[in-house]
Amino acid sequence: MPLHLIEIERVKTISKEDFVKNYVRPQKPVVIEKLTQDWPAYEKWSLNYIKEIAGDKVVPLYDDRPVSHKDGFNDAHAQMKMSEYIDLLQKEPTNYRIFLYNLMKKVPMLQNDFRWPDLGLNLVKQLPMLFFGGENSKVFIHYDIDYSNILHFHFHGKKRCILFHPDQTPYLYKVPHALISREDIDFDNPDFEKWPALKHAQGLVANLEHGEMLYMPEGYWHYMKYETPGFSMSLRSLPRKWTNLSKAAYNIFVMRYFDNFMRKYKGQAWIDYKNEQAVVRTHKKLNIPV
C-alpha cells in the first residue's frame, strides 16, 4: 500500500495578490508552471550548459549513506570536478548529489539567467543555492533548519517531490534533535508493518518538469527524488510566523551545536539512541505497541 498522497495544485501563472491570498497566507503548496518562461535560464539551463561554464569547479557531493557520528553537520561525502560529475550523471544512475551549493558565487554569469520573482514574499537577496542529482537519487525527508518559505525551481528533466504539512510530524518518525525522519524508511514504498504510524500520514506530491516552480511553505517536510538527472534552484523567504522564527533560531543557534557536541561526546551511541527514540516517541504518542 502506498502513502496517502494528493496532487499539489497547479497554476500556469499567478498574480502577486492571488499568490499571497491563496497560498502564502494559508501556507498551502502550489506549482507555478510558467513562472520562468521569460528567464534566460529557461532556454539556457541544462546539464551541458553547466558543464560548459562551470566544468572546472570542484564541487562537494553527498550520497544516501546513513548519518554517522563521524560526519559534521552537512559535511560532504566526496568531491570532484563539475565536468566529471555531470559526465557521471549523464552516463549512469548515481547516488551522488550536490546539495545547497552556491555555484553562482563561483560562476557569476549565472546570476544573469534568473529573475527575482515578485510574488509578495520578502526573498532573502543572497545568491541562490543549487541542487543536482542523478537518476533515482533521493533527498532524505527533512524540513529546513530556518523554516523558510521556499520557491523551488527545477531544470533539466523530472523531479518527484513529496511534502507533508508540519501537523503530520507525529506520523513521520521524526528523529529528536534533528530535522529528519528515520533514514531507513523508504518513502517510495514504505513498510507499514515496520512503520505503522505512516499509514495515518496525509501527504502531497508534485512531479516537476523543466522550468516549473514548487512553493513549499515554512516548516513543510519534503522528500525529493530525481526521476532523471537534473538540477534545481531555491529562493528563500524568512518565516512569517513568530513561532517558526523562534524555532528557526533555536535550530540554528542551539540544536545543531548540541547535536554536534553529543556526536563527538557519545559517538555512534548518540545516533543509535536518536533513531531508537524516533520510534519509541512516535509509537508512544499514538498508543502503538512498541
Side-chain angles (χ1 to χ4, degrees):
M1 184 173 75
L3 289 167
H4 186 277
L5 302 174
I6 298 173
E7 287 284 337
I8 292 173
E9 188 175 340
R10 287 176 165 266
V11 297
K12 300 292 184 185
T13 59
I14 194 169
S15 68
K16 173 171 64 176
E17 293 74 20
D18 284 345
F19 181 69
V20 172
K21 175 184 175 183
N22 297 326
Y23 302 104
V24 177
R25 285 181 185 153
Q27 291 286 279
K28 180 181 177 183
V30 66
V31 174
I32 305 178
E33 296 177 348
K34 295 186 176 182
L35 185 59
T36 69
Q37 287 194 359
D38 62 346
W39 293 8
Y42 188 79
E43 297 294 336
K44 294 166 64 175
W45 280 14
S46 67
L47 288 173
N48 285 335
Y49 177 69
I50 299 297
K51 178 181 175 181
E52 177 185 334
I53 65 170
D56 62 332
K57 307 303 179 188
V58 176
V59 295
L61 302 176
Y62 300 82
D63 58 27
D64 57 359
R65 73 185 67 178
V67 169
S68 167
H69 71 284
K70 298 177 182 177
D71 299 327
F73 195 86
N74 282 347
D75 278 355
H77 299 138
Q79 61 180 25
M80 68 175 64
K81 283 189 174 182
M82 179 68 87
S83 58
E84 297 171 351
Y85 175 63
I86 290 177
D87 285 344
L88 177 62
L89 293 185
Q90 295 179 321
K91 178 184 177 184
E92 61 192 22
T94 175
N95 290 329
Y96 277 132
R97 295 176 292 104
I98 296 177
F99 173 74
L100 207 65
Y101 184 60
N102 195 345
L103 184 62
M104 290 190 184
K105 183 177 181 181
K106 299 180 180 298
V107 187
M109 64 185 295
L110 282 170
Q111 299 172 36
N112 301 321
D113 293 343
F114 80 98
R115 306 283 183 261
W116 292 96
D118 184 13
L119 289 173
L121 287 173
N122 293 319
L123 296 170
V124 179
K125 292 297 178 69
Q126 65 183 26
L127 293 179
M129 298 297 183
L130 297 183
F131 309 78
F132 292 71
E135 180 182 346
N136 292 329
S137 64
K138 304 172 184 179
V139 181
F140 289 131
I141 192 166
H142 67 286
Y143 59 95
D144 283 15
I145 192 170
D146 58 1
Y147 276 78
S148 287
N149 291 274
I150 302 168
L151 305 181
H152 190 72
F153 302 82
H154 189 63
F155 297 95
H156 193 114
K158 300 179 180 181
K159 189 176 192 179
R160 180 173 174 83
C161 307
I162 295 175
L163 307 186
F164 291 96
H165 188 285
D167 66 12
Q168 298 299 295
T169 299
Y171 312 118
L172 299 179
Y173 294 92
K174 180 189 179 299
V175 175
H177 310 291
L179 311 169
I180 61 173
S181 172
R182 284 278 303 232
E183 294 170 297
D184 46 351
I185 298 175
D186 180 358
F187 277 86
D188 291 318
N189 186 28
D191 182 346
F192 291 119
E193 290 191 9
K194 188 173 182 181
W195 315 110
L198 288 178
K199 291 187 287 187
H200 305 286
Q202 308 286 314
L204 302 162
V205 63
N207 294 293
L208 298 183
E209 307 251 354
H210 175 80
E212 294 183 339
M213 187 279 283
L214 169 64
Y215 167 58
M216 294 188 288
E218 50 203 67
Y220 265 66
W221 291 84
H222 41 284
Y223 164 82
M224 302 197 173
K225 181 179 180 181
Y226 291 86
E227 303 283 349
T228 68
F231 61 103
S232 304
M233 177 184 82
S234 283
L235 304 180
R236 316 174 76 81
S237 171
L238 293 177
R240 295 163 61 92
K241 297 180 180 179
W242 280 106
T243 52
N244 287 340
L245 196 60
S246 65
K247 291 175 185 176
Y250 171 80
N251 289 340
I252 293 168
F253 298 113
V254 179
M255 184 273 292
R256 68 173 172 176
Y257 290 105
F258 173 73
D259 187 54
N260 274 338
F261 169 77
M262 292 300 291
R263 290 187 193 200
K264 293 176 182 176
Y265 178 62
K266 291 284 191 177
Q268 190 59 37
W270 173 244
I271 304 297
D272 294 342
Y273 167 78
K274 292 201 302 175
N275 283 327
E276 177 187 354
Q277 285 299 305
V279 177
V280 170
R281 296 182 187 189
T282 297
H283 288 177
K284 182 178 180 181
K285 192 168 187 176
L286 299 175
N287 293 317
I288 296 173
V290 179

